[in-house]
Amino acid sequence: MATPYSQREIRRLIGMFDVYGDFLVGTPFGNGNVNDTFQLTFDQGGIRLHYILQRINSHVFKEPIKVMENVARVTNHLLKKIKAGRQETRKRTIRLLNAHDGRPFAFDDNGNCWRSYIFVEHARAYEILETPEQAFRVAQGFGEFQRQLVDFNGRLHETIPDFHNTPKRVAALEAAVKADVCGRVKEVGREIDFVLSRKEETDVLVKLNESGDIPERITHNDTKANNILIDDLSGEAVCVIDLDTVMPGLSLYDFGDMVRSGTNPAEEDEINLDKVGMRFDMYKGFYEGFVDAAGSVLTPAEKEYLPFSGKLITLEIGMRFLTDYLSGDIYFKTRRPRQNLDRCRTQFKLVESMEAQMKRMKALL
Ligand code: GN1
Ligand code: MG
């Protein structure tokens, strides 16, 4: 749930940006675990248009201006690519609105950083994917994003250092277990053992990067299936969204997070673990879509570790939920008690399901 804001406050906040037309209404939008997001309706000359207005969570993003510099640089790069394509296309990138000072963000009186985007009409993000065809399209969209950024000039800010450094996430969990600030460690012995018994595998990708076998790239780092918009008519992936964590990273974590979020037919915090597991046909869709779009830029080692990457990031995100549960639910938004623990258990169930199907996944290579 987004923090409650009155219509008056929303009107004042969007008033910091250059938007034409009359503000009608603003409502909470989407299911993000971090930022506060609103969809705003405007009347422009008798036509209704929408914008997104978002507050950047400053607990998670300590340097919001750097986040916005990354987002602006990447969207400008993508926009050039789209414009250079000769065919007419529904493909797009998120487009930031400028605030009155010409910068693509603005601070409110309480020091919160806000930004606004043009809303992409006739497309939507799916919380749960239904068909392998959708998985193919989603992976194609994120793969294309990866490919389009291959010739990006310069390095982006590392806005959250070591974001997908899995061994450091293990260390953070171990520190939270030691501190046990909420006295919850006694409830989660099984979950802690689950991680510890897989500890040696957690540094595989970091090590391959250190040895030069897999390159640092510009990556999205939050490639949940719901972070891409699917066109209502064509079913094509038309726009990658939620670029806050775009920064230097490993392509495999991007592929892995699609597999984590999109192969599971249940919610991320599903309580009935019988419903949770990896659908192999969905995995196949992701694999084929990603290779179709980004195969030409991936190295042999990157390709080889595609199946493993899904398992690794699922373990990593499960650990992050567990760490947050032990720390008193201070990072991810929660709507009910133990939600972070439920999220963790869902992830670990999914890890087991991936382990059971690893051979089949590798056989596709
Ligand atoms: C957060 O805000 P949202 O829902 O897009 C998190 C991701 C996690 C995800 C799990 C900056 O993403 O890393 O994978 O929740 N974003 C950040 O649902 O930590
Ligand atoms: Mg996000």
Side-chain angles (χ1 to χ4, degrees), residues 31-35 60-61 160 163-164 169 221-222 224 226-227 242 244-245 257 260 268 313 317 320-321 331-332 343:
N31 290 303
N33 289 328
V34 170
N35 295 320
V60 169
F61 296 104
I160 304 183
F163 191 57
H164 288 310
R169 296 290 186 178
N221 296 303
D222 187 12
K224 280 203 284 200
N226 68 2
N227 273 335
D242 193 358
D244 292 333
T245 49
D257 207 31
R260 174 188 78 84
E268 192 174 57
I313 197 162
I317 308 267
R320 289 176 60 200
F321 290 141
Y331 185 96
F332 296 104
R343 288 170 173 153

Side-chain angles (χ1 to χ4, degrees), residues 187-245:
E187 296 168 45
V188 298
R190 272 180 46 197
E191 285 71 23
I192 296 169
D193 289 346
F194 188 91
V195 175
L196 294 182
S197 64
R198 289 162 179 81
K199 193 173 166 179
E200 329 80 84
E201 293 175 284
T202 56
D203 65 1
V204 169
L205 297 189
V206 172
K207 284 238 174 88
L208 283 168
N209 175 234
E210 281 164 8
S211 65
D213 289 307
I214 60 176
E216 176 185 287
R217 300 182 183 276
I218 292 171
T219 51
H220 183 284
N221 296 303
D222 187 12
T223 51
K224 280 203 284 200
N226 68 2
N227 273 335
I228 199 156
L229 301 178
I230 304 285
D231 189 84
D232 286 343
L233 263 183
S234 67
E236 209 187 352
V238 285
C239 187
V240 173
I241 59 172
D242 193 358
L243 299 182
D244 292 333
T245 49

